[in-house]
C-alpha cells in the first residue's frame, strides 16, 4: 500500500527528539504522574466566553440551547474525569449527581442549571486536578403588566384625586431595560409632569412602575411596557400592552357554595364562580389542593363540574379571577367526601381500681371508634340486647370521650349489676347520608371477657433461617376473651419493619417474612393491641430472628504475580460468618482439588507452594459453614502485568508529502519487578483485522522501571486511517497478555491562536468550527464511505483533497428540500489576536487563509469566504468568492487578511439553480504572516519545523499535552 507497511520492517523516515532540561532520552522518560493542567473547553451554542476581574471564566448561553463542556487534562495512568456543579459561588454543596465523562452535555439548558461547574480529574497519583467554569444562562420572559389605583378624599374640596400605578415585571438575565409608551409615543419623565417612573427597591431591578398622578383625560390610552436585554445571546425584545379606561376596575367574585361542602361518594358537584365586578373582563381559573384537578373534572366557563365524586377528589377547590388590575380575586371551598372505615371497640375495666377484669359492683366502659371523614359528623347509637340505650343512673353515654382518641363514643356502666350483663351494639352512621352504617357487637358476660395471655410456642423464641429464605415468627394469644390482634415491631429503636413501617398488625399473631436478608436479623417485639379487646396493660413477648449466611471472605479476587521458583503464600481471611463455626476448607487449582493435610478450621486458611511454569493458574479457596460456601480466587502467574498505554502522547504528526503520519507510541510497565526480567515487547499493528506488522521490540538489556515511559515510533500511517496496536511484554520465561488501543488521526479541537495546523475535518469535532444558527441549512461532514448511495451524479467529490476515500471533507447538499439561494454558513473558532504584534510600520497583523475547494456540476452556485471581525458590532465582509462549475478536481485557494481585532472565518455556500450544485471544502489553514506563492508545508524535503514554548497539541483521546521543552521534528 502506498505510504504504508511493506513487509515486517519499519521504514524509519521520521524520528523525535524530546528535550527535557537540555537532555532528552530517545526511548525512556518519566511517565506516571498526577493529573495536571486541567482545562475546560467548550462547544455547542455559547453566546460568549469571557474572564471577569477575578480571573474566573464565564460561559454565557441562551436558555434552551445545548451546553457542551469538555475537560481536557493530562496525566498517566489516564485520569478519570468527574463533573459536579454547585448552586453558585457561595455554595459548596453539590446540587446534581456527578457525571463521570470527559464531556458534559446538557440539551435544552434551563435557568436553574446555571452555576459553577467543576471538572475533577484523578488517577490515584498525587493530587487531583480541578478546574471550574461559571455557566451563566441568559433569558428574557414575557413581561407582566398589572394596574393598581388609589382614590383619596381631599379635604376642603369637592373632587377626588385618582392615582394609577402601572407595574411592569419581568424575569430576565441579565437585568432588563424598560421602555414605556403611551400609544406609539415614548414616555419620558422629564417631559411630562403628570408621570413618574421609578423602580421599587425590593424588586432588584425586575420591576418598573409608571405612576400617573391626578389622572387626566389624555391618560386614558394604550400603555406598552417593552423590555430588552439589548440582543444578548440574540434574545429579542418583548412587550405587553394594556388599555386604561375610566371603567378599569379590579375583579370581584363569589362562589355558589359555602366555604365547606360535604357530599356522599358518587354524587355530582357543581361549583360556580360568578364575576360581579372587573374591567377588562377577568379570566377565571380553577385549581385544586392538594394535587391537580381530578381527571373527571369539567370546566365550562365559570362553572366546575365534578362527576361521581370519590374520596380522592376531596380537598380545596379554588377559583381565581385575574384581569391584571389590582390584586387577583380568590375564593375557595373545602370539599369533604363522607367516608367510614375500620370500626373498633375497647373494653376498659374499672381504671380507678387498676382492674384487669370485669367484676360485679365495679365500673366498666365500652368504647367505639370509627375512622371517618368528617369525623365530627359521625353519629353513634348504642343498643343493649337490640334496644336503644338512653342515659340513666348507671348508664352514661359520652358523645366524645375525652380519655380516648377524638371522635370516640363511650358507654359507661356504673357499679355493674347482673342485669348489665348483655350484648351491646355500637352503630356508626352519617345522618341522612347514603354511606352505609357500620356496627360492632360486644358481649359482656361472666365468662365472655377475660384478660389475654400471650405466648411464644416452644422452640419459637429463636427462629433461624438461611439468607434468601422465608421465615414465620409466631406469637399467640392462648387465652383471653375477646382475642385482640397482635402488633409486631423491632425492639431496636429507629429500626423499621422489613415492609418499611414502624408496626405490622396480624390478626392471628403470625408474622411472615419473605426473602430474608442479614439486615433483618435481630429481636422482634409482639404485643397485644389495645382495641378489639380489653383496654389494659399490653402483654408482650420477643422473638429473635437469626439469619444464617455463608462466610464473607477477603480477597474475593486477587491477581498475584511472582517470579518463577519463588515461594508464594495465599491467604483467605474470614471476615464474618453466621454461624461462625466453619465446617470445611478446601483448595483448588484450575478446578481440581489440591490434596493438603486437614486444616485447622479456627485458623486463617493458607496455602504455600513454590511457583513453577507448570503450576500457574487459578487458585480457589472454598470455605463453608452450614449456611453455604464462599470462595477466594487467586490468579497466580509468572506472566508480567499488562503494559499501560500513555494517553497523553502528542497528536500524531501530519506529513503532507505522501499524506502520511507517524505516531509516537508510549507506555509504562506496571510493577516490572514483580515477575521475571522483562526483555522486550511484542507489537503488532492491524487494520480491519489484517495484521500489517508483527515484530519484537528489543529493550537491549535495559529493564523497564515503574512509572517510566517507554517510547516507540510507528511511521508510515495513512491519513486519515485508524489502526489497532497490540502490545505484550516478554520475560525470559513467558509472554504477557496483549493490550490494545486504537490509533486514529485527530485534529485540534480549537485553536488558542492561528497556527500552522491544517484542518482536514477528519475528527467529528471539525476543529472547533460550528454551524451558523442564522443560516437556512448546514454544511455536512462526509467521506466516500458515508455518503448517500442515492446521491446526485455528476456533482460533488469522490474523495477528499488527498485522494483518500476514507478522508472527510465538508460539503453542501443541493438536492431537495434546498431551493435556489439557500445559504449554509460554517464558522471558524474565534481567533483572539490582540497579543500578536504587528510588523513595524503597520498597525494590523497579516494572516494567510488557505483551503481547497471542489465545485463540480452544471448547477454550481457560489462559495464565499467572509471575514467576521468582533468589535463594537460584528462586521462581515467578503474576502474571497467563486461561482459556477470549476472542473472535476480539488483546487487550492489562499489569500491574505489583516483583521482589526478578534476574528472568525466564515465559509458561505449558496445553492445554485438546481440539484447538480454540491460544493465542498477541505484542508483549511489559518497562519500568521502573509501567504507565499509556493506554500511551505510540513513534510517538504529538507524542511525543519521548530515548535517552541508551551503549545497544546490535541490527543486522539480528546486530551491535550503541554510540552515544557522543544519538540524537534526532522524529515529527510
Amino acid at each position: 500500500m502506498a505510504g504504508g507497511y511493506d513487509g515486517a520492517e519499519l521504514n524509519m523516515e521520521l524520528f523525535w527528539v524530546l528535550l527535557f532540561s537540555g537532555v532528552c532520552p530517545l526511548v525512556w522518560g518519566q511517565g506516571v504522574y498526577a493529573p495536571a493542567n486541567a482545562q475546560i473547553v467548550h462547544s455547542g451554542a455559547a453566546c460568549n466566553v469571557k474572564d471577569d476581574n477575578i480571573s474566573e471564566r464565564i460561559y454565557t448561553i441562551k436558555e434552551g440551547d445545548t451546553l457542551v463542556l469538555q475537560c481536557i487534562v493530562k496525566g498517566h495512568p489516564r485520569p478519570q474525569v468527574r463533573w459536579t456543579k454547585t448552586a453558585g459561588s457561595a455554595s459548596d454543596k453539590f446540587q446534581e449527581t456527578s457525571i463521570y465523562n470527559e464531556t458534559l452535555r446538557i440539551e435544552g439548558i434551563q435557568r436553574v442549571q446555571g452555576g459553577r461547574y467543576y471538572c475533577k480529574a484523578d488517577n490515584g497519583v498525587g493530587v487531583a486536578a480541578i478546574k471550574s467554569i461559571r455557566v451563566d444562562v441568559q433569558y428574557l420572559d414575557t413581561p407582566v403588566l398589572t394596574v393598581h389605583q388609589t382614590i383619596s378624599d381631599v379635604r376642603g374640596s369637592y373632587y377626588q384625586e385618582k392615582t394609577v400605578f402601572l407595574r411592569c415585571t419581568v424575569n430576565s438575565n441579565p437585568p432588563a431595560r424598560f421602555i414605556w409608551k403611551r400609544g406609539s409615543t415614548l414616555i419620558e419623565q422629564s417631559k411630562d409632569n403628570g408621570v413618574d417612573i421609578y423602580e421599587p427597591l425590593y424588586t432588584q431591578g425586575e420591576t418598573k412602575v409608571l405612576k400617573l398622578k391626578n389622572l387626566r383625560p389624555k391618560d386614558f390610552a394604550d400603555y406598552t411596557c417593552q423590555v430588552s436585554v439589548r440582543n444578548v445571546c440574540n434574545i429579542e425584545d418583548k412587550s405587553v400592552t394594556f388599555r386604561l379606561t375610566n371603567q378599569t376596575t379590579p375583579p370581584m367574585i363569589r362562589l355558589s357554595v359555602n366555604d365547606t361542602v360535604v357530599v356522599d361518594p358518587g354524587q355530582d358537584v357543581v361549583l360556580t364562580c360568578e364575576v360581579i365586578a372587573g374591567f377588562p373582563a377577568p379570566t377565571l381559573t380553577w385549581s385544586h389542593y392538594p394535587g391537580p384537578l381530578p381527571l373527571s373534572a369539567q370546566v365550562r366557563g365559570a362553572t366546575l363540574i365534578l362527576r361521581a365524586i370519590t374520596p380522592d377528589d376531596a380537598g380545596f377547590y379554588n377559583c381565581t379571577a385575574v384581569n391584571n388590575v389590582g390584586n387577583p380575586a380568590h375564593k375557595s371551598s373545602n370539599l369533604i367526601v363522607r367516608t367510614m372505615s375500620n370500626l373498633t371497640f375497647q373494653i376498659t375495666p374499672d381504671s380507678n381500681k387498676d382492674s384487669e377484669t370485669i367484676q360485679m359492683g365495679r365500673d366498666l366502659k365500652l368504647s367505639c371508634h370509627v375512622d371517618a371523614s368528617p369525623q365530627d359528623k359521625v353519629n353513634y347509637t348504642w343498643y343493649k340486647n337490640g334496644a336503644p340505650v338512653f342515659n340513666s343512673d348507671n348508664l352514661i353515654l359520652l358523645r366524645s370521650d375525652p380519655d380516648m382518641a377524638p371522635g370516640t363514643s363511650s358507654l359507661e356502666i356504673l357499679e355493674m349489676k347482673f342485669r348489665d350483663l348483655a350484648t351491646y351494639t355500637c352503630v356508626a352512621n352519617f345522618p341522612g347520608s347514603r354511606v352505609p352504617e357500620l356496627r360492632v357487637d360486644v358481649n359482656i358476660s361472666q365468662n365472655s371477657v377475660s384478660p389475654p395471655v400471650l405466648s411464644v410456642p416452644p422452640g419459637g423464641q429463636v427462629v433461624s433461617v438461611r439468607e434468601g429464605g422465608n421465615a414465620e415468627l409466631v406469637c399467640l394469644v392462648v387465652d383471653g376473651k375477646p382475642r385482640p390482634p397482635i402488633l409486631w415491631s423491632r425492639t431496636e429503636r429507629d429500626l423499621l419493619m422489613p415492609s418499611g413501617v414502624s408496626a405490622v398488625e396480624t390478626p392471628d399473631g403470625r408474622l411472615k417474612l419473605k426473602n430474608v436478608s442479614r439486615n433483618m436479623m435481630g429481636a422482634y417485639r409482639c404485643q397485644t393491641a389495645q382495641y378489639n379487646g380489653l383496654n389494659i396493660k399490653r402483654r408482650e413477648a420477643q422473638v429473635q430472628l437469626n439469619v444464617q449466611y455463608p462466610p464473607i471472605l477477603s480477597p474475593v479476587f486477587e491477581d498475584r504475580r511472582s517470579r518463577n521458583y519463588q515461594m508464594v503464600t495465599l491467604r483467605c481471611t474470614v471476615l464474618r460468618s453466621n454461624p461462625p463455626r466453619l465446617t470445611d476448607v478446601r483448595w483448588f487449582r484450575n478446578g481440581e482439588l489440591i490434596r493438603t493435610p486437614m486444616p485447622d478450621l479456627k485458623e486463617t486458611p493458607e496455602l504455600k507452594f513454590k511457583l513453577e511454569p507448570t503450576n500457574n493458574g487459578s487458585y480457589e479457596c472454598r470455605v463453608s459453614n452450614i449456611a453455604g460456601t464462599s470462595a477466594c480466587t487467586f490468579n497466580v502467574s509468572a506472566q508480567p502485568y499488562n503494559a499501560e498505554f500513555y494517553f497523553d502522547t502528542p497528536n500524531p504528526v501530519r506529513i503532507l508529502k505522501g499524506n502520511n503520519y507517524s505516531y509516537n507510541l508510549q507506555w509504562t510497565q506496571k510493577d516490572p519487578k514483580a515477575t521475571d526480567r522483562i526483555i522486550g515487547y511484542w507489537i503488532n499493528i492491524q487494520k480491519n483485522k489484517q495484521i500489517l506488522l508483527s515484530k519484537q521490540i528489543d529493550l537491549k538489556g535495559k529493564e523497564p522501571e515503574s512509572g517510566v515511559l517507554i517510547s516507540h515510533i510507528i511511521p508510515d500511517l495513512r491519513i486519515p486511517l485508524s489502526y489497532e496496536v497490540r502490545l505484550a511484554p516478554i520475560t525470559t520465561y513467558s509472554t504477557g497478555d496483549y493490550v490494545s488501543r486504537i490509533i486514529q488521526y485527530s485534529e485540534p479541537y480549537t485553536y488558542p491562536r492561528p497556527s500552522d495546523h491544517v484542518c482536514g475535518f477528519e475528527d467529528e469535532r471539525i476543529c472547533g468550527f460550528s454551524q451558523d444558527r442564522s443560516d437556512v441549512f448546514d454544511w455536512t461532514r462526509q467521506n466516500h464511505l458515508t455518503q448517500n448511495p442515492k446521491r446526485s451524479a455528476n456533482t460533488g467529490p469522490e474523495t477528499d483533497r488527498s485522494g483518500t476515500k476514507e478522508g472527510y471533507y465538508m460539503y453542501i447538499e443541493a438536492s431537495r428540500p434546498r431551493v435556489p439561494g439557500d445559504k449554509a454558513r460554517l464558522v471558524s473558532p474565534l481567533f483572539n489576536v490582540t497579543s500578536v504584534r504587528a510588523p513595524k510600520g503597520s498597525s494590523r497583523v497579516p494572516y494567510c487563509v488557505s483551503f481547497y475547494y471542489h465545485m463540480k456540476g452544471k448547477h454550481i452556485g457560489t462559495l464565499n469566504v467572509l471575514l467576521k471581525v468582533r468589535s463594537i458590532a460584528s462586521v462581515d465582509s467578503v474576502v474571497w468568492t467563486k461561482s459556477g462549475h470549476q472542473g472535476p478536481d480539488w483546487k487550492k485557494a489562499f489569500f491574505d487578511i489583516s483583521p482589526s481585532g478578534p476574528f472568525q472565518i466564515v465559509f458561505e455556500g449558496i445553492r445554485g439553480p438546481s440539484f447538480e450544485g454540491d460544493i465542498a471544502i477541505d484542508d483549511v489553514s489559518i497562519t500568521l504572516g502573509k501567504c507565499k506563492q509556493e506554500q511551505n508545508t510540513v513534510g517538504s524535503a529538507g524542511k525543519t519545523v521548530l515548535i517552541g514554548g508551551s503549545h497544546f497539541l490535541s490527543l486522539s483521546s480528546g486530551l491535550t499535552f503541554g510540552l515544557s521543552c522543544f519538540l524537534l521534528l526532522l524529515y529527510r
Side-chain angles (χ1 to χ4, degrees):
M1 56 180 283
Y5 287 101
D6 185 12
E9 295 300 321
L10 291 172
N11 179 11
M12 300 295 289
E13 288 188 352
L14 173 149
F15 63 91
W16 295 38
V17 179
L18 295 175
L19 304 175
F20 292 94
S21 301
V23 179
C24 208
L26 176 62
V27 176
W28 306 91
Q30 187 65 30
V32 176
Y33 62 96
N37 294 345
Q39 178 186 12
I40 297 177
V41 298
H42 61 86
S43 61
C47 303
N48 188 22
V49 179
K50 63 181 180 179
D51 296 338
D52 66 7
N53 55 3
I54 58 172
S55 299
E56 181 184 36
R57 299 191 70 208
I58 302 176
Y59 180 101
T60 305
I61 187 171
K62 180 181 177 182
E63 186 174 44
D65 285 347
T66 299
L67 172 72
V68 181
L69 299 176
Q70 186 177 23
C71 190
I72 296 179
V73 67
K74 67 176 184 177
H76 183 73
R78 189 175 188 177
Q80 183 185 45
V81 174
R82 181 182 67 168
W83 283 96
T84 51
K85 180 220 170 193
T86 63
S89 58
S91 172
D92 58 357
K93 294 182 179 179
F94 292 121
Q95 303 296 316
E96 296 180 359
T97 304
S98 299
I99 297 174
Y100 291 86
N101 201 344
E102 291 172 4
T103 301
L104 172 68
R105 183 182 182 90
I106 301 177
E107 301 276 357
I109 191 168
Q110 299 300 305
R111 63 194 67 180
V112 295
Q113 294 174 295
R116 182 176 286 112
Y117 286 80
Y118 291 85
C119 81
K120 179 179 180 181
D122 193 3
N123 64 354
V125 181
V127 180
I130 301 177
K131 200 74 174 179
S132 70
I133 187 170
R134 199 173 82 208
V135 176
D136 188 21
V137 182
Q138 307 213 328
Y139 54 90
L140 177 64
D141 291 344
T142 301
V144 176
L145 198 159
T146 57
V147 178
H148 303 267
Q149 51 191 348
T150 62
I151 300 176
S152 59
D153 292 328
V154 179
R155 293 186 179 182
S157 301
Y158 296 98
Y159 67 91
Q160 291 179 320
E161 179 185 288
K162 192 172 187 179
T163 301
V164 174
F165 301 87
L166 282 79
R167 180 188 298 268
C168 186
T169 303
V170 70
N171 294 319
S172 69
N173 180 35
R177 180 181 61 185
F178 292 77
I179 296 175
W180 285 100
K181 295 180 181 179
R182 181 188 288 117
S184 59
T185 305
L186 182 68
I187 299 178
E188 298 180 79
Q189 182 170 309
S190 59
K191 297 182 180 180
D192 190 341
N193 294 330
V195 301
D196 189 12
I197 300 175
Y198 63 93
E199 175 182 312
L201 295 176
Y202 55 86
T203 59
Q204 299 180 355
E206 295 182 349
T207 298
K208 282 284 187 184
V209 175
L210 173 64
K211 179 181 179 182
L212 304 176
K213 301 179 290 185
N214 194 14
L215 207 60
R216 303 161 297 185
K218 74 171 186 177
D219 292 331
F220 294 111
D222 290 340
Y223 289 87
T224 299
C225 173
Q226 180 176 324
V227 293
S228 171
V229 289
R230 294 162 290 284
N231 204 32
V232 170
C233 281
N234 297 320
I235 299 176
E236 298 180 351
D237 295 356
K238 296 184 180 181
S239 63
V240 60
T241 300
F242 183 88
R243 170 166 291 182
L244 181 66
T245 71
N246 57 5
Q247 296 179 344
T248 299
T249 53
M252 294 180 64
I253 57 176
R254 64 184 172 201
L255 276 180
S256 60
V257 296
N258 299 325
D259 293 343
T260 301
V261 178
V262 181
V263 297
D264 289 338
Q267 280 187 254
D268 292 344
V269 177
V270 178
L271 306 178
T272 301
C273 187
E274 181 184 359
V275 177
I276 57 178
F279 186 83
T283 299
L284 292 177
T285 57
W286 285 95
S287 62
H288 176 242
Y289 176 85
L293 286 173
L295 295 177
S296 60
Q298 300 175 6
V299 178
R300 297 178 180 174
T303 301
L304 173 66
I305 303 174
L306 303 173
R307 301 287 188 189
I309 203 81
T310 68
D312 293 337
D313 299 334
F316 289 89
Y317 286 83
N318 310 298
C319 172
T320 303
V322 177
N323 68 348
N324 290 346
V325 180
N327 297 318
H330 299 282
K331 291 289 182 179
S332 65
S333 179
N334 183 17
L335 181 63
I336 299 176
V337 181
R338 296 186 183 99
T339 58
M340 284 198 304
S341 63
N342 194 30
L343 183 65
T344 60
F345 70 91
Q346 295 185 45
I347 305 171
T348 306
D350 196 336
S351 58
N352 295 324
K353 308 293 186 187
D354 292 331
S355 177
E356 290 195 344
T357 61
I358 63 171
Q359 301 177 26
M360 294 300 168
R362 291 193 177 181
D363 297 345
L364 181 70
K365 182 165 69 174
L366 307 179
S367 301
C368 180
H369 178 84
V370 65
D371 294 334
S373 176
Q375 189 74 58
D376 59 343
K377 301 299 181 182
V378 177
N379 181 63
Y380 291 97
T381 307
W382 286 89
Y383 297 86
K384 179 181 178 180
N385 292 332
V389 174
F390 301 97
N391 281 320
S392 63
D393 292 339
N394 75 318
L395 295 180
I396 300 175
L397 294 172
L398 298 177
R399 173 67 185 81
S400 182
D401 191 339
D403 296 330
M404 297 291 177
T408 300
S409 176
S410 293
L411 172 63
E412 289 191 355
I413 305 174
L414 305 180
E415 298 179 357
M416 178 177 289
K417 300 176 176 56
F418 282 105
R419 69 171 182 267
D420 297 322
L421 300 179
T423 298
Y424 293 86
T425 303
C426 173
V427 177
N429 67 355
F430 288 116
S433 169
R434 292 181 295 177
V435 176
E437 65 181 20
L438 298 178
R439 64 173 54 216
V440 63
D441 294 330
V442 183
N443 185 27
I444 302 298
S445 64
Q446 287 183 316
N447 58 5
S448 67
V449 180
S450 60
V453 176
L454 197 62
S455 174
V456 177
Q461 287 84 0
V462 178
V463 176
S464 295
V465 61
R466 293 191 180 183
E467 191 168 32
N470 300 329
E472 183 178 74
L473 311 187
V474 181
C475 207
L476 301 177
V477 178
V478 297
D479 198 4
K481 297 178 182 179
R483 294 190 179 186
I486 301 300
L487 301 180
W488 288 91
S489 61
R490 301 289 294 267
T491 59
E492 297 181 45
R493 184 176 298 179
D494 300 330
L495 282 184
L496 298 177
M497 296 292 287
S499 60
V501 297
S502 58
V504 173
E505 177 183 322
T506 57
D508 58 356
R510 298 177 183 274
L511 177 66
K512 297 180 180 181
L513 303 175
K514 296 182 179 180
N515 193 21
V516 175
S517 61
R518 66 192 66 178
N519 59 2
M520 295 164 61
M521 187 163 53
Y524 288 75
R525 178 191 297 113
C526 60
Q527 56 185 355
T528 56
Q530 290 182 310
Y531 49 85
N532 291 353
L534 284 168
N535 180 23
I536 58 177
K537 183 179 179 180
R538 292 184 174 184
R539 274 50 171 170
E540 65 177 51
Q542 286 191 9
V543 177
Q544 184 74 29
L545 178 63
N546 181 38
V547 181
Q548 299 175 342
Y549 53 86
I552 299 175
L553 308 177
S554 177
V556 176
F557 176 82
E558 182 178 320
D559 188 8
R560 179 72 66 85
R561 305 298 171 102
S562 175
R563 295 174 181 265
N564 277 299
Y565 307 106
Q566 298 290 322
M567 291 299 297
V568 175
T569 302
L570 306 180
R571 290 186 179 86
C572 186
T573 304
V574 181
L575 301 178
R576 291 187 304 278
S577 176
N578 189 32
R581 181 177 176 273
L582 303 181
T583 58
D584 190 29
V585 174
R586 298 189 182 188
W587 286 91
F588 295 81
R589 181 176 68 235
N590 298 330
E592 296 184 1
L593 178 65
I594 301 175
R595 299 192 179 276
T596 59
M598 183 63 185
D600 186 348
L601 298 180
K602 296 182 180 180
E603 299 291 334
T604 298
E606 185 177 277
L607 178 67
K608 293 183 178 181
F609 61 95
K610 180 184 288 187
L611 183 63
E612 298 177 357
T614 57
N615 60 8
N616 284 223
S618 176
Y619 286 76
E620 188 178 52
C621 178
R622 301 177 187 174
V623 183
S624 305
N625 64 1
I626 62 172
T629 302
S630 303
C632 293
T633 302
F634 303 86
N635 179 39
V636 182
S637 172
Q639 284 188 342
Y641 284 106
N642 294 343
E644 295 179 320
F645 284 114
Y646 185 73
F647 280 89
D648 289 350
T649 303
N651 191 58
V653 179
R654 180 168 187 174
I655 310 169
L656 296 181
K657 179 182 178 181
N659 205 41
N660 290 353
Y661 71 95
S662 66
Y663 199 91
N664 183 26
L665 186 70
Q666 294 180 300
W667 68 93
T668 56
Q669 178 61 49
K670 179 182 177 181
D671 201 358
K673 303 296 183 182
T675 59
D676 299 301
R677 186 168 67 90
I678 296 175
I679 59 176
Y681 288 86
W682 278 109
I683 182 173
N684 65 53
I685 301 174
Q686 300 182 13
K687 174 64 181 171
N688 297 329
K689 303 301 181 180
Q690 178 184 359
I691 297 178
L692 306 178
L693 171 73
S694 181
K695 64 170 292 185
Q696 180 177 339
I697 300 174
D698 188 0
L699 299 183
K700 299 179 180 179
K702 186 164 184 178
E703 296 185 34
E705 298 179 31
S706 182
V708 176
L709 281 177
I710 306 171
S711 298
H712 180 75
I713 299 295
I714 305 176
D716 295 339
L717 303 176
R718 181 78 171 173
I719 295 175
L721 303 183
S722 59
Y723 301 85
E724 181 185 5
V725 178
R726 303 175 72 240
L727 193 71
I730 307 169
T731 70
T732 52
Y733 289 93
S734 63
T735 300
D737 294 329
Y738 278 96
V739 291
S740 69
R741 71 169 296 181
I742 301 298
I743 290 180
Q744 183 174 5
Y745 183 80
S746 124
E747 293 165 329
Y749 180 64
T750 186
Y751 318 123
R753 66 183 67 182
S755 67
D756 287 335
H757 174 76
V758 177
C759 178
F761 305 109
E762 306 300 342
D763 196 292
E764 290 182 357
R765 297 166 299 183
I766 58 175
C767 313
F769 278 76
S770 60
Q771 308 283 357
D772 190 337
R773 288 175 292 165
S774 65
D775 58 11
V776 178
F777 69 110
D778 289 341
W779 287 79
T780 302
R781 174 180 172 268
Q782 78 166 22
N783 62 10
H784 178 77
L785 304 177
T786 61
Q787 66 186 5
N788 188 343
K790 297 181 181 180
R791 70 188 185 94
S792 304
N794 303 317
T795 187
E798 294 291 333
T799 67
D800 74 343
R801 197 280 307 172
S802 66
T804 306
K805 290 187 177 182
E806 294 89 342
Y808 284 87
Y809 51 86
M810 301 295 292
Y811 88 109
I812 63 169
E813 173 59 66
S815 302
R816 289 189 301 173
R818 303 279 67 83
V819 297
D822 279 0
K823 294 180 180 180
R825 290 162 60 97
L826 188 67
V827 185
S828 77
L830 178 65
F831 298 112
N832 189 354
V833 299
T834 55
S835 60
V836 181
R837 292 184 179 180
K840 290 184 178 180
S842 174
S843 61
R844 296 186 180 181
V845 180
Y847 297 91
C848 176
V849 179
S850 171
F851 65 96
Y852 283 83
Y853 62 91
H854 190 282
M855 301 173 69
K856 169 194 172 186
K858 63 181 179 180
H859 304 138
I860 290 292
T862 300
L863 174 61
N864 293 327
V865 182
L866 297 88
L867 175 63
K868 184 188 209 53
V869 179
R870 291 283 185 95
S871 56
I872 297 176
S874 297
V875 177
D876 295 0
S877 57
V878 177
V879 290
W880 185 93
T881 185
K882 188 74 70 175
S883 299
H885 175 71
Q886 301 296 321
D889 300 323
W890 286 92
K891 295 187 177 181
K892 187 171 186 177
F894 53 90
F895 53 87
D896 297 325
I897 58 173
S898 297
S900 58
F903 70 94
Q904 293 171 286
I905 297 297
V906 181
F907 288 92
E908 180 182 70
I910 304 177
R911 199 260 199 186
S914 191
F915 60 90
E916 292 184 17
D918 299 344
I919 300 173
I921 59 172
D922 199 2
D923 288 358
V924 179
S925 70
I926 303 169
T927 58
L928 184 63
K930 291 187 176 182
C931 297
K932 297 180 181 178
Q933 205 64 22
E934 292 293 331
Q935 292 269 302
N936 288 323
T937 58
V938 177
S940 300
K943 178 66 176 177
T944 300
V945 181
L946 186 64
I947 305 175
S950 182
H951 293 301
F952 286 97
L953 304 179
S954 174
L955 279 90
S956 59
S957 61
L959 305 178
T960 63
F961 180 78
L963 295 180
S964 58
C965 65
F966 290 101
L967 176 62
L968 185 62
L969 310 180
L970 302 179
Y971 307 95
R972 283 187 278 174

